[in-house]
Amino acid sequence: MDVLEYYIDFKCLPEYQQAHEIHISKQEIADILFCTSRNTHYILQKWVQEGYIVWQGQRGRGKKSTLTFLTSLDEAAYLYVENLIQREKVKEAVSFATESHFSSELKEMLLNTIQMAFGIQHIEHQEEVKDVLHIPLQHSLYHMNPFFVTIAVEAHILNEIFDTLVRYNVDSKTVEPHLAYGWEVNEDYTFWTFYIRKGIRFHDGSNLTSKDVQWTFQSIINEEINIPNKWLFAGIQDIIVQGKYTISFQLKDGNHVFPYFLSAIFASIVPEKSDIKGSSLKGTGPFKIEDVNDEKMILKAFDNHFQGRPFLDKVHMWKLPESKLDPLNFFTDENVGKTKKSGSTYTIRDNGSNYIIFNLKKAGIHQNSFFRQAVSEMIDSKQMVQELGGSRVAPSTGFIPDRSDYRNIRHSTQKAKQLLHQSGYKGETIHLAVLRFDDFLEDARWMEQKVNEIGIKVKVHPIELSDIYNEDFMLAFDAVYTGESFEDNIELAILILLRNEYGIRIFLNSSLLNELDNGFESIIKQPDYESFLQEFQAVEEKLKESGTIIFTVHASEQNTFQSNLQGIQMSGYGWPVFHKLWIK
């Protein structure tokens, strides 16, 4: 502990919080601080030197000295938080602000102080100027490997570190050149050739060539390496190096959307000889990893990125304890004291839906379709939107917001009771896993209350995002309340949803898995976007009819960005693209 911490502990005592002057001996202070007499003498000297107190000592046994407080508890706590932030001990600052025995007003002030440390900081040191983006994270970054990632936030960050041969353009809804500046294909779409840009460098300084591309995809399709979305590239029969900057893919069957597959984060290019199962892969993206551990991640601008260096010099991401700090507000509402500057307001719309999915691989009453349908009858998503509000903008009847149609949906408590009776329910407790986000937990408590009305008992278990990677852990629950956030490329996102081994598939029985696989085969054969979505909705209906999935709400948020923040481009994951941001 430093002397300021000792001062705060001392001032936190109820009898001293509002006191201006007290009479006390050094021994009494030593007893309170659990210090030796020698250490207490040193602490008092430092308190005087720092201007926290005035000390008028008295000599003689039994005589007490006079201690005058010059620094209030609020001032001392503020100073301590400021010191922690300056030393980049953000996690400790949040813990101090939220776990200490402070008043609610002081806690709010301290959290606001911490919030001000986030966003883009313009740092001038001697002749050097740095623009650093600080972001609070509510969950640890679990998989910083593009081949194994399944969480939206992680995928967004990985898109800043790694590049793919092609990229999806959300405006034109087409695939465009990226690491490759062009490609060609034969008449039956079985032989694709890509021409790679020259001069592209990996973060370790090595040049990217067709051999790196060959190594990457040979590793992905290697039968001994089990990656979640290997199916995307199962159709590759051979990968042929045609020249230093030319690579060809021989496919088993024709695939006219093969470039869409290559635009996925799972198709990131890494250097030859890389271990794609590793945690320290090198990319070619606009940012490279400077430091990463369980508590923080620091990205540094890559000076040699082939599309130009980012404006931001660094991005600092901090895993913080539970608090009111919202990761999506790190660039919002630029505050200077009590003055709030106006900015640009953007609506961040979630291309997906929240939903309950029942675990059909675990025995229990939830295996009964009448029981699941009874739960579905009680969860009126329109009522949920009306009563809970917030970011919940529309009731959901499917994964895609534009396709949700609630007009003919009716809910009946009487019907729910009849279905529950038919199920043979005998008061068993349903264990529901819920992502540890405020909105999700609020939804879960609302749904718990609704099903309690017909006698269903529910126990809510908050879980971390990283828990979804632990299949045995997830399969211990009767149901899971989660959400699916689609990336910009809706078609690809749908295919990944149907085939991702860490998604809805882990909870389904063999019959429904067959429905998903048959639907997938039908979907990829559709000639246009409308037919594609219609086939996908047919799969959705099978899941809804059985009550296996119960859709709840679509979400949307409005954020006002800092007035001087430019180049704002939102990714499909609901975050700004870091390498596009700049300050005017």
Side-chain angles (χ1 to χ4, degrees), residues 120-149:
I120 295 179
Q121 308 292 328
H122 186 73
I123 303 167
E124 296 185 20
H125 181 66
Q126 296 177 350
E127 296 182 359
E128 190 175 32
V129 177
K130 297 286 186 182
D131 291 284
V132 181
L133 173 61
H134 295 263
I135 306 172
L137 296 177
Q138 293 175 338
H139 296 270
S140 296
L141 297 172
Y142 187 74
H143 257 318
M144 284 294 97
N145 180 316
F147 305 108
F148 291 86
V149 66

Side-chain angles (χ1 to χ4, degrees), residues 33 38 83 87 166 240 244 284 301 373 432:
L33 300 180
R38 182 176 181 179
N83 290 340
R87 289 183 283 156
V166 296
I240 306 152
K244 190 172 183 179
T284 61
Q373 290 167 33
L432 176 67

Side-chain angles (χ1 to χ4, degrees), residues 94-120:
V94 175
S95 295
F96 174 79
T98 55
E99 296 176 10
S100 299
H101 301 295
F102 296 144
S103 67
S104 57
E105 292 80 8
L106 178 54
K107 286 182 179 180
E108 185 176 356
M109 183 192 79
L110 296 177
L111 285 174
N112 286 340
T113 301
I114 297 168
Q115 179 75 61
M116 289 296 297
F118 292 101
I120 295 179

Side-chain angles (χ1 to χ4, degrees), residues 68-82:
T68 304
F69 294 105
L70 301 180
T71 304
S72 69
L73 176 60
D74 289 13
E75 291 169 335
Y78 176 81
L79 283 173
Y80 185 62
V81 164
E82 287 264 282

Side-chain angles (χ1 to χ4, degrees), residues 142-145 162 275-282 289 292:
Y142 187 74
H143 257 318
M144 284 294 97
N145 180 316
F162 296 91
D275 176 9
I276 70 167
K277 295 181 292 184
S279 59
S280 57
L281 292 170
K282 305 298 181 185
I289 297 175
V292 62

Side-chain angles (χ1 to χ4, degrees), residues 191-230:
F191 197 81
W192 294 80
T193 299
F194 292 81
Y195 301 96
I196 301 166
R197 299 178 191 272
K198 295 181 180 180
I200 295 176
R201 290 184 180 274
F202 288 103
H203 295 156
D204 62 3
S206 61
N207 285 312
L208 183 149
T209 70
S210 54
K211 286 188 176 181
D212 300 302
V213 179
Q214 182 187 48
W215 176 270
T216 299
F217 285 97
Q218 283 178 339
S219 299
I220 290 172
I221 64 177
N222 186 337
E223 293 181 358
E224 296 181 3
I225 302 175
N226 184 26
I227 64 174
N229 289 290
K230 182 187 289 286

Side-chain angles (χ1 to χ4, degrees), residues 494-544:
I494 286 171
L495 297 178
I496 291 172
L497 170 73
L498 296 177
R499 297 300 294 268
N500 179 15
E501 295 300 329
Y502 286 107
I504 63 176
R505 294 180 68 89
I506 69 170
F507 303 107
L508 303 183
N509 56 29
S510 58
S511 174
L512 284 173
L513 285 174
N514 286 334
E515 292 284 358
L516 253 64
D517 292 338
N518 292 336
F520 176 86
E521 294 301 326
S522 176
I523 285 169
I524 61 175
K525 294 175 182 176
Q526 299 308 309
D528 55 60
Y529 183 67
E530 183 60 30
S531 301
F532 182 100
L533 291 185
Q534 287 178 1
E535 287 296 314
F536 173 62
Q537 285 184 284
V539 175
E540 274 186 341
E541 285 302 317
K542 295 282 178 58
L543 296 170
K544 288 195 294 183

